[in-house]
Amino acid sequence: MKKTCVTALAALLLAVPAVQAQKVNKDSFLSKIEKSDADIADVKKGAKAATWVNRGKLFFEAVSEPTKDLFLEMDPVMLKFNDGDPQSTSEVTLLDVPYTAYVYPYYTAYVKDNKIMAWTQTQEIYPGALELSLEAYNKAYDMDPKTASKVKVGLKQISDFCAQAGDVSITTGKYADAAKYYMTAYAAQSSPAYGEKPNLALLYYAGYLKTVEGSTNPEAYAEGADYLNRALEQGYTDEDGNIYYYLFHCYYGQKDKDAAFVMKSKDALLEGIEKFPKSERILDGLMQLYTAEKGVGDPADLVTMIDAAIAENPTNTDLWFGRGRIFYALKNYDESIKSFEKIVELKPDMYEGNYYLGLFYALKGDAMNKEMNERQYSSQADYDADLKTVNAVYMAAVPWFEKVLELKPNDPDAVEFLKSLCFRLRDEEGMMDKYKKYNDLYNQIKGN
């Protein structure tokens, strides 16, 4: 009987006709806002914290009303049930991803795989309402700290709304809007009445987005640097240290305004590499800066810097990893190999150590092979001698990739390297058998 009732209810819901249009009573909101303006201008009413709390609620409702029925991964059927049929639909592409756009009076929703994946608000009830809501709540708390609990509810609503709006703005490629939303969420969480530490990741993401925006709007770099520095000053770093890499770009992007920004960008990277010596991004940024800008320093200075750090902490594998990466950028494969040999000595079962040691032997062999191909040989004996030397380097890579397979069976990259290396070395004893073994494994992994 219960099942029958549920089925009947579902049928009833489907039978209800969709609302014909999105309902947003803009005039009603504007009338209430006009009254709120009069209330705060009134000497008695304006002196009451409750007046400002109500004003905060009103402006937030004006902000959230147009998209209040939207949530991520929502079924479009429910969207139509809430807001009626869209004014139009079309196929669009955002950041190389195809969507169906559902156009409504106040927003456009983007549908993929029968789910709402993002939206863009196209019309506001009252421009600046979000900032006015935050301002009103802060004013209420300043006037009467006893309103803290009510104010915090409002601040959390603002923060949650902005965090979601920031996320969907990234999906639609509106990075400047996303950064603004994240900063407003951070501002709400930073209000005294919120009573908790703000999420510093909001500053970081806003700074990152300003870094991205800077490629088309150089003025955004200054804001990005401000946000990232504020996050760092409060003790925030992401787990990979990318904050220093983005700060480097924000400073470097301002070098045309002031040459001093070049050295600021260098300092950001040096601070970052000291804390995250394994970061490929920071190391790449340093190599880019040292090779592109005169007066910044000799790339060899980076070696001196990291060797000094290693002298103080010789068992730090992250430092050895960074050293190997620096020498790789300098095309000094012998020192890269030396660095990663130290890593596998310290941590024999470290996947990355074994993998990169094999890789750098292979890269050294490739470089030597290229030199051979460019050389004009006068005798077969000279050619054979050089070939033997090159093959010995390639041979040295094999056991490290085999160790990788012990640590991570069927690792596709290691198998592909072993397949190629063993085929090249097929004339060496035992290598043809290994080639067949790894070729079969390669085909198995690829599903051939």
Side-chain angles (χ1 to χ4, degrees):
M1 186 67 180
K2 184 177 181 181
K3 182 176 180 182
T4 303
C5 291
V6 171
T7 304
L9 177 60
L12 180 62
L13 286 173
L14 291 174
V16 175
V19 180
Q20 293 304 304
Q22 182 186 10
K23 299 291 186 181
V24 175
N25 194 336
K26 183 174 181 178
D27 289 339
S28 175
F29 273 104
L30 294 179
S31 177
K32 291 177 182 178
I33 290 171
E34 186 176 352
K35 181 179 182 303
S36 177
D37 289 342
D39 286 345
I40 63 171
D42 182 90
V43 175
K44 290 184 178 180
K45 292 181 179 179
K48 295 180 179 180
T51 300
W52 291 92
V53 170
N54 291 333
R55 183 175 175 83
K57 289 179 181 178
L58 174 60
F59 276 115
F60 178 74
E61 288 171 1
V63 170
S64 59
E65 178 69 17
T67 59
K68 68 178 182 180
D69 293 325
L70 288 170
F71 57 88
L72 291 173
E73 299 194 359
M74 177 183 190
D75 190 312
V77 171
M78 183 60 70
L79 177 65
K80 292 180 181 180
F81 183 79
N82 290 332
D83 286 348
D85 291 324
Q87 293 176 319
S88 65
T89 62
S90 62
E91 301 304 313
V92 300
T93 299
L94 302 175
L95 302 180
D96 297 324
V97 177
Y99 297 93
T100 300
Y102 284 42
V103 179
Y104 285 86
Y106 280 82
Y107 65 82
T108 298
Y110 300 100
V111 179
K112 182 175 176 60
D113 298 329
N114 207 38
K115 294 178 181 178
I116 305 295
M117 304 306 293
W119 55 86
T120 300
Q121 188 166 333
T122 54
Q123 185 182 164
E124 296 178 292
I125 290 177
Y126 193 93
L130 190 59
E131 292 76 14
L132 289 168
S133 176
L134 181 57
E135 178 186 281
Y137 280 127
N138 284 332
K139 178 77 171 178
Y141 179 76
D142 287 343
M143 295 177 71
D144 184 0
K146 293 179 182 179
T147 62
S149 59
K150 293 181 180 180
V151 170
K152 182 175 181 178
V153 170
L155 293 173
K156 191 171 189 314
Q157 287 179 326
I158 293 173
S159 175
D160 291 346
F161 174 87
C162 288
Q164 178 172 256
D167 292 346
V168 298
S169 294
I170 290 175
T171 302
T172 59
K174 294 184 177 297
Y175 301 128
D177 289 348
K180 184 178 179 181
Y181 279 125
Y182 288 145
M183 287 305 298
T184 304
Y186 173 77
Q189 293 183 15
S190 298
S191 295
Y194 196 76
E196 300 174 29
K197 290 184 178 180
N199 180 2
L200 298 178
L202 292 165
L203 277 174
Y204 168 65
Y205 289 127
Y208 160 69
L209 291 166
K210 284 295 178 179
T211 308
V212 174
E213 184 191 348
S215 62
T216 54
N217 174 26
E219 296 302 314
Y221 284 129
E223 287 182 277
D226 177 47
Y227 299 159
L228 296 172
N229 274 317
R230 286 165 65 183
L232 286 168
E233 286 165 5
Q234 295 179 70
Y236 179 87
T237 53
D238 62 294
E239 63 179 11
D240 297 318
N242 289 329
I243 189 169
Y244 292 100
Y245 180 73
Y246 300 137
L247 184 57
F248 149 66
H249 274 293
C250 284
Y251 282 144
Y252 196 63
Q254 299 180 74
K255 67 173 185 173
D256 291 339
K257 292 195 300 186
D258 187 343
F261 280 111
V262 173
M263 298 310 293
K264 281 190 174 185
S265 67
K266 173 187 173 181
D267 291 341
L269 290 171
L270 290 177
E271 182 179 349
I273 202 61
E274 181 180 351
K275 296 177 181 178
F276 298 90
K278 197 175 179 180
S279 171
E280 294 186 12
R281 278 187 163 180
I282 297 175
L283 286 169
D284 288 343
L286 281 166
M287 293 306 302
Q288 174 187 336
L289 191 63
Y290 273 64
T291 55
E293 294 290 338
K294 292 181 179 179
V296 170
D298 187 330
D301 293 344
L302 299 176
V303 177
T304 302
M305 175 193 71
I306 205 161
D307 278 350
I310 288 173
E312 294 183 6
N313 194 357
T315 60
N316 187 319
T317 54
D318 285 351
L319 290 173
W320 284 105
F321 197 106
R323 185 181 190 275
R325 284 282 303 164
I326 290 173
F327 277 113
Y328 164 65
L330 295 172
K331 303 303 180 187
N332 187 334
Y333 297 113
D334 286 332
E335 287 296 328
S336 291
I337 289 169
K338 178 181 176 182
S339 299
F340 279 88
E341 283 178 337
K342 185 64 177 179
I343 290 173
V344 297
E345 175 190 323
L346 293 167
K347 293 186 177 180
D349 292 333
M350 182 181 181
Y351 167 86
E352 292 87 353
N354 287 278
Y355 178 84
Y356 281 105
L357 185 49
L359 176 63
F360 287 129
Y361 268 117
L363 291 174
K364 179 183 177 181
D366 288 345
M368 294 170 66
N369 189 56
K370 182 180 179 182
E371 289 180 11
M372 273 190 66
N373 291 334
E374 293 172 352
R375 179 180 173 186
Q376 297 294 323
Y377 286 93
S378 58
S379 72
Q380 184 66 37
D382 288 343
Y383 175 83
D384 290 342
D386 282 354
L387 181 61
K388 183 177 181 180
T389 302
V390 172
N391 283 346
V393 174
Y394 281 125
M395 185 76 77
V398 172
W400 303 111
F401 285 123
E402 289 182 325
K403 177 66 175 179
V404 169
L405 285 185
E406 290 181 25
L407 299 170
K408 188 177 179 182
N410 299 340
D411 180 76
D413 293 331
V415 171
E416 188 166 4
F417 268 115
L418 285 167
K419 170 179 172 286
S420 300
L421 287 167
C422 293
F423 182 76
R424 177 183 176 85
L425 300 167
R426 61 191 178 278
D427 293 334
E428 302 290 335
E429 185 177 353
M431 283 296 136
M432 193 61 193
D433 289 339
K434 286 193 174 189
Y435 165 72
K436 292 177 181 178
K437 171 185 174 181
Y438 295 123
N439 186 53
D440 289 344
L441 182 55
Y442 177 81
N443 290 331
Q444 179 184 330
I445 293 172
K446 294 296 183 180
N448 296 335

